């Protein structure tokens, strides 16, 4: 077990909803405050599909990490914007496949920091660490991550449900580029991202209204992006099959009922050549 965090973590503001805590509410967790529940209920009332999005995002994490630790042979994971611990966190999935896996979690919500010990329960063969840092400061993330991970060897960088909280497209591209430049060939990036492209006109309208209501009260506003825009985050990477798709349709197991319904969120995994 290992931990690495900034000396002065931000104070917890329980008067404004926070994405990590609201997401925990959507996933059926219990680590949130009344302001988060209220925001979550408002979002869900306008756009009920948000619950399906939260669950499929979590399911994608499991499928992606199993692929990365299994077929791709990755043994190091940098999970940025990890949120509050729920079932099948990145280290649990990875170390189930390869117990020697090393994982660094990154988040900047003080409540996540309080729960870091739950995230840091690694297998005896592997390691976990928690970094209290913001995605907008990739250099700090990399500096602290290097205390647990060997950045000269392949790393899987997980960016699930976080890039859409940075409004500036060029800033996001710069952050992704900085992170991927710091890791060698054979490294991977997995991401999920909010969009209005999927689900049809009625769904997109409800999704847009819910996001607007969220943006009016939260400090971490949502900026949905198109398929073309999200694809740009994979520039320079080899996008694995089936490409950039709805989170419900990335390498799902076959069922007698055919493909699952699309949800309004993109996902993809890319490999650095």
């Amino acid at each position: 077990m290992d931990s690495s965090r900034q000396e002065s973590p931000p104070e917890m503001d329980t008067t404004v909803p926070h994405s990590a805590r609201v997401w925990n509410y959507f996933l059926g967790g219990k680590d949130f405050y009344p302001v988060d529940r209220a925001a979550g209920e408002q979002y869900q009332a306008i756009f009920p599909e948000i619950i399906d999005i939260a669950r499929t995002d979590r399911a994608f994490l499991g499928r992606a990490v199993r692929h990365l630790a299994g077929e791709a042979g990755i043994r190091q994971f940098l999970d940025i914007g990890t949120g509050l611990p729920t079932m099948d966190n990145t280290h649990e999935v990875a170390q189930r496949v390869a117990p020697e896996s090393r994982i660094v979690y990154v988040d900047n919500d003080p409540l996540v920091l309080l729960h870091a010990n739950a995230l840091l329960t690694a297998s005896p063969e592997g390691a976990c660490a928690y970094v209290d840092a913001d995605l907008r400061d990739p250099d700090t993330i990399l500096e602290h991550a290097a205390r647990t991970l060997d950045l000269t060897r392949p790393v899987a960088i997980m960016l699930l449900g976080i890039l859409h909280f940075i409004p500036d497209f060029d800033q996001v591209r710069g952050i992704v580029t900085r992170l991927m430049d710091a890791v060698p060939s054979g490294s991977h990036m997995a991401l999920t991202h909010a969009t209005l492209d999927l689900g049809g006109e009625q769904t997109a309208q409800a999704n847009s209204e819910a996001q607007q209501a969220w943006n009016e009260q939260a400090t971490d506003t949502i900026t949905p992006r198109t398929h073309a825009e999200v694809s740009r985050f994979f520039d320079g990477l080899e996008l694995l099959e089936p490409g950039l798709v709805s989170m419900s349709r990335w390498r799902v197991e076959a069922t007698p009922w055919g493909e699952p319904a699309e949800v309004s969120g993109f996902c993809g995994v890319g490999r650095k050549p």
Side-chain angles (χ1 to χ4, degrees):
M1 185 184 298
D2 179 16
S3 66
S4 175
R5 58 195 64 163
Q6 294 175 344
E7 293 183 1
S8 301
E11 294 183 2
M12 194 178 306
D13 185 351
T14 61
T15 66
V16 177
H18 190 282
S19 58
R21 303 193 302 259
V22 175
W23 203 247
N24 184 263
Y25 167 76
F26 288 150
L27 287 171
K30 58 183 180 180
D31 299 312
F32 51 83
Y33 294 98
V35 66
D36 305 307
R37 178 195 292 272
E41 289 177 345
Q42 180 185 18
Y43 205 117
Q44 186 178 356
I46 301 171
F47 186 54
E49 187 186 329
I50 189 61
I51 302 300
D52 294 331
I53 290 174
R55 291 172 179 170
T56 54
D57 180 276
R58 198 70 188 181
F60 167 73
L61 181 151
R63 297 196 303 276
V65 172
R66 282 193 294 274
H67 166 77
L68 292 165
E71 296 177 47
I74 298 294
R75 296 294 179 264
Q76 303 188 110
F77 294 80
L78 179 56
D79 186 336
I80 305 175
T82 181
L84 288 153
T86 57
M87 291 180 59
D88 280 346
N89 301 291
T90 297
H91 76 284
E92 294 169 320
V93 179
Q95 292 178 351
R96 204 174 293 144
V97 177
E100 69 274 24
S101 297
R102 305 176 71 83
I103 294 87
V104 172
Y105 290 106
V106 181
D107 210 296
N108 68 338
D109 177 35
L111 188 58
V112 177
L113 177 60
L114 291 177
H115 287 265
N117 286 337
L119 289 173
L120 298 178
T121 307
S123 66
E125 304 93 329
C128 283
Y130 176 84
V131 175
D132 178 29
D134 193 298
L135 176 62
R136 296 171 180 83
D137 187 5
D139 288 336
T140 293
I141 291 173
L142 292 166
E143 176 188 349
H144 286 272
R147 299 175 184 177
T148 302
L149 307 180
D150 179 355
L151 300 186
T152 68
R153 304 186 63 169
V155 178
I157 296 178
M158 314 291 293
L159 296 165
L160 274 56
I162 186 172
L163 298 181
H164 49 239
F165 289 116
I166 299 180
D168 187 272
F169 177 79
D170 289 334
Q171 184 180 11
V172 176
R173 285 198 64 205
I175 290 168
V176 170
T177 298
R178 175 69 184 96
L179 291 170
M180 295 309 298
D181 281 350
V183 294
S185 173
S187 295
H188 289 65
M189 178 183 71
L191 67 75
T192 62
H193 199 293
T195 188
L196 301 179
D197 280 6
L198 301 170
E201 184 176 346
Q202 186 173 355
T203 296
Q205 180 62 32
N207 194 2
S208 177
E209 291 175 5
Q211 290 178 10
Q212 181 177 350
W214 167 266
N215 290 348
E216 289 172 355
Q217 58 183 314
T219 54
D220 45 352
T221 60
I222 298 172
T223 300
R225 293 187 170 97
T226 66
H227 187 279
E229 289 173 322
V230 178
S231 294
R232 295 295 307 278
F233 301 144
F234 289 95
D235 285 355
L237 304 180
E238 300 168 347
L239 191 58
L240 304 189
E241 292 293 336
L244 185 65
V245 296
S246 170
M247 294 186 298
S248 60
R249 293 188 171 178
W250 194 89
R251 301 196 178 190
V252 293
E253 295 180 356
T255 72
W257 303 279
E259 288 190 339
E262 286 188 337
V263 297
S264 300
F266 286 123
C267 73
V269 179
R271 179 186 183 277
K272 183 173 180 178

